[in-house]
Amino acid sequence: MRFLGSSQVFSGKEFLAPHTILVLDNANKLIDIVSSNEIDELKVEKHEGIITPGFINAHCHLELSHLKDKIKKHTGIVDFGLGVMQQRHTFSEELQIRAMAEADKEMVKQGIVAVGDISNTNLSISTKQASKIYYHTFVELIALNPEKATTVFDNGKQLLLEFNSSSLHGSLAPHAPYSASKELIQLISHYCFQNNSPTSIHNQESNAENNFFQFKIGDYLRLYEQIKLPIDYFTKTQKSSLLSVIDAFHSSINTLLVHNTFCSNEDMKVSQQLHHQLFWCLCPKANLYIENALPDITELIKQNCNLVIGTDSLASNSGLSIIDEINTICKNFPEIPLDILLQAATFNGAYFLGITNQFGELNPNTNCGINLIEGKKSEFTVKKLA
Ligand SMILES: [Zn+2]
């Protein structure tokens, strides 16, 4: 048995009383939480820092791991997207799989125990099967043309079946408002409702996305021109992208909005009123990489939005580390209390993925993972204790 103690212990939802000791069995399963006066002091592994449950990375694209340092920074989302499209398939499958395995190992080292991972192909299956991490794969579907919704949806279900028959968890997710019709979103969301599984969508990562919906102008017209995809059928909605699609989602399904960099206060308010199972994913390092901008995290907190944290992919990030994302938020929003960010990185992510029986909280009889956060606020590092 192991007895772990530290100056601070965070449960996943709150800081526990001083002198809390975690009791682990030899397989690193948490079996009890006690007070230090119940334990022989000499047996306790004492640490300096914050003990937390293992981190949940709510948004990643393992498939893009081989694109690290390949796409230019600060180009804006359209040129970033074009860069990914041009480069992602120019590498051998062997190299792509090796990059995924390395990224997976990096996440384990960074104290990440569960990942919500976007996939467009079956290439990540072997890495996920061999991993210590719990993966929930979001099979991502793309089709702005409503006429293509049914075909794309059927193909997505086939790909999801490949993950499921490899004993991997997953569901379906539309890519983004500008790349998924409301018809496609409705099919996906209804399917997730029937299977009681979460879904996800990239949201307002750029202001170009809102311009496209409100006025049918801006950079997305260039994108569709460049990839030679006519979009005559698309008509402006005179609303932001989020408010144009939010009612296509089933309001009782856990729904992840990823990025939210250009989400207005009004958009947050109206969406929260229309949909009670929204989760707002912060990927600050990717936002700085692509658009050099950050979402209004203070306002999201003020409006009681459920926050989770994601790394996005190595195509738009220097690493896959939740603690680095927390550091970036602390540097840019020093007023945000740390417990809000720690809960976003642990309990909230597990709640979104529907895995709180295993992860996200220091619950006896779980292998939730135990991390130690060391160092000063905004320069934290993480060590995996169990
Ligand atoms: Zn993403």
Side-chain angles (χ1 to χ4, degrees):
M1 285 218 287
R2 292 173 71 191
F3 302 92
L4 303 181
S6 187
S7 38
Q8 293 183 89
V9 178
F10 185 79
S11 72
K13 288 179 182 164
E14 61 189 350
F15 282 101
L16 300 179
H19 313 295
T20 295
I21 303 291
L22 306 183
V23 186
L24 276 62
D25 71 9
N26 291 334
N28 279 331
K29 186 196 267 187
L30 178 63
I31 52 175
D32 207 358
I33 300 170
V34 297
S35 170
S36 60
N37 54 24
E38 296 174 55
I39 303 285
D40 175 0
E41 209 189 325
L42 292 172
K43 287 185 181 169
V44 176
E45 289 175 39
K46 282 187 196 152
H47 297 280
E48 195 52 51
I50 310 166
I51 284 181
T52 70
F55 294 144
I56 316 297
N57 182 358
H59 180 75
C60 184
H61 302 244
L62 207 56
E63 273 177 6
L64 302 181
S65 298
H66 61 293
L67 295 181
K68 188 174 176 191
D69 301 323
K70 296 283 190 290
I71 320 265
K72 266 206 286 185
K73 283 184 187 173
H74 306 163
T75 61
I77 187 63
V78 167
D79 287 304
F80 176 82
L82 286 168
V84 170
M85 281 186 251
Q86 280 153 11
Q87 294 207 47
R88 70 180 293 180
H89 298 301
T90 58
F91 297 82
S92 71
E93 282 197 359
E94 193 195 336
L95 189 143
Q96 293 182 49
I97 290 172
R98 214 182 314 136
M100 284 192 263
E102 272 169 37
D104 172 75
K105 255 194 236 152
E106 182 192 344
M107 285 198 275
V108 172
K109 213 171 136 202
Q110 289 294 322
I112 293 168
V113 292
V115 176
D117 187 61
I118 303 285
S119 296
N120 304 99
T121 72
N122 60 10
L123 217 56
S124 63
I125 287 180
S126 56
T127 307
K128 287 170 179 169
Q129 279 181 311
S131 177
K132 291 178 185 164
I133 290 176
Y134 173 100
Y135 280 96
H136 179 103
T137 298
F138 290 102
V139 169
E140 183 177 74
L141 305 184
I142 297 175
L144 186 59
N145 189 340
E147 285 177 15
K148 293 193 174 147
T150 315
T151 313
V152 166
F153 174 64
D154 289 339
N155 292 342
K157 281 194 291 187
Q158 282 305 315
L159 179 54
L160 178 59
L161 205 61
E162 285 189 55
F163 281 89
N164 291 156
S165 54
S166 308
S167 304
L168 293 166
H169 299 269
S171 52
L172 302 176
H175 169 252
Y178 61 83
S179 59
S181 64
K182 279 183 92 164
E183 287 78 356
L184 180 58
I185 295 173
Q186 272 161 349
L187 286 171
I188 293 170
S189 198
H190 185 68
Y191 182 82
C192 290
F193 172 70
Q194 286 174 324
N195 292 282
N196 194 26
S197 51
T199 191
S200 160
I201 187 167
H202 294 88
N203 176 54
Q204 293 169 311
E205 192 171 355
S206 69
N207 207 28
E209 187 176 314
N210 287 326
N211 288 331
F212 181 63
F213 275 84
Q214 279 170 315
F215 315 113
K216 203 181 177 181
I217 58 162
D219 230 11
Y220 278 104
L221 297 186
R222 181 168 67 88
L223 172 80
Y224 284 112
E225 222 174 81
Q226 206 140 334
I227 60 173
K228 299 192 168 48
L229 214 64
I231 49 161
D232 312 322
Y233 54 83
F234 181 82
T235 47
K236 62 182 176 187
T237 61
Q238 294 175 318
K239 286 192 269 191
S240 71
S241 63
L242 179 58
L243 297 191
S244 300
V245 300
I246 189 71
D247 60 341
F249 285 94
H250 204 293
S251 65
S252 61
I253 282 302
N254 287 358
T255 300
L256 190 67
L257 301 175
V258 182
H259 294 306
N260 314 303
T261 326
F262 294 86
C263 187
S264 70
N265 298 2
E266 184 66 12
D267 283 0
M268 292 175 202
K269 194 172 138 200
V270 176
S271 310
Q272 288 271 98
Q273 280 165 354
L274 290 172
H275 197 302
H276 303 299
Q277 295 296 115
L278 285 183
F279 292 79
W280 303 73
C281 186
L282 309 173
C283 305
K285 287 185 69 195
N287 301 149
L288 292 173
Y289 191 107
I290 298 172
E291 291 279 343
N292 203 19
L294 289 169
D296 190 345
I297 304 177
T298 312
E299 183 64 27
L300 286 165
I301 294 169
K302 211 157 96 189
Q303 297 209 25
N304 289 318
C305 297
N306 291 317
L307 298 181
V308 300
I309 298 177
T311 59
D312 216 345
S313 77
L314 284 173
S316 60
N317 207 332
S318 56
L320 300 178
S321 164
I322 293 296
I323 202 67
D324 282 352
E325 302 295 331
I326 290 178
N327 284 335
T328 301
I329 298 170
C330 291
K331 264 180 221 152
N332 289 281
F333 300 89
E335 72 282 6
I336 294 179
L338 186 58
D339 56 346
I340 288 181
L341 300 178
L342 293 179
Q343 179 169 336
T346 56
F347 179 80
N348 288 1
Y351 186 79
F352 162 63
L353 291 173
I355 52 170
T356 48
N357 57 341
Q358 303 174 66
F359 299 110
E361 207 174 359
L362 296 175
N363 280 328
N365 297 314
T366 61
N367 279 306
C368 59
I370 309 287
N371 290 342
L372 177 70
I373 298 175
E374 296 176 298
K376 283 193 296 194
K377 195 175 174 186
S378 83
E379 291 171 17
F380 289 133
T381 57
V382 68
K383 198 190 277 172
K384 204 171 150 56
L385 296 181

